[in-house]
Amino acid sequence: MTQYLLSIYQPDGVVPDDEFLAPLMEQLSVWNDDLRKAGAWVFSAGLHPPEAATVVQQQSDEMLVTDGPFTEGKEHVGGFTIIDVEDLDAALVWARRLAKILVALAVEVRPVAG
């Protein structure tokens, strides 16, 4: 079995209202329940917006600590799920289901090292 990170990318800006999000959250709950029933779910989390980030970086003899995301962009990782499945094909089955729920949001699939 291999673990895969499914990263959900969403646009920066205003979060849609509850009326828009409610049906998506219901479908995500079913998707997560199905993952658990299949024994593929490892961990999931949503993230605060990128402006809540703090970046720590060693440069020469100085430790830099800056507010905000590491990179500026029009999209950010809004949440993620780690799954444990047989191979990339199996991970893509779950990712396709997730992308269908999230409509226009991108889902990146990446194997976990180690």
Side-chain angles (χ1 to χ4, degrees):
M1 300 291 269
T2 303
Q3 290 186 345
Y4 290 87
L5 171 69
L6 308 182
S7 300
I8 301 165
Y9 287 85
Q10 62 189 60
D12 288 344
V14 179
V15 175
D17 62 28
D18 288 341
E19 185 177 327
F20 177 83
L21 290 177
L24 295 178
M25 297 308 289
E26 187 174 313
Q27 292 174 55
L28 281 174
S29 179
V30 170
W31 182 81
N32 277 302
D33 288 345
D34 289 348
L35 267 175
R36 285 182 177 91
K37 288 175 192 169
W41 184 87
V42 176
F43 182 78
S44 295
L47 301 173
H48 287 278
E51 52 272 5
T54 303
V55 178
V56 179
Q57 185 177 23
Q58 179 76 41
Q59 286 190 351
S60 300
D61 293 334
E62 189 175 357
M63 184 67 67
L64 299 177
V65 179
T66 56
D67 292 334
F70 178 67
T71 59
E72 295 292 330
K74 294 181 180 181
E75 296 179 322
H76 63 276
V77 177
F80 64 90
T81 298
I82 296 176
I83 61 174
D84 193 13
V85 293
E86 192 167 316
D87 54 24
L88 177 60
D89 290 336
L92 291 175
V93 168
W94 289 106
R96 284 184 182 103
R97 276 189 63 190
L98 180 58
K100 191 171 186 174
I101 294 167
L102 300 175
V103 188
L105 301 183
V107 177
E108 178 182 10
V109 179
R110 187 184 294 188
V112 175

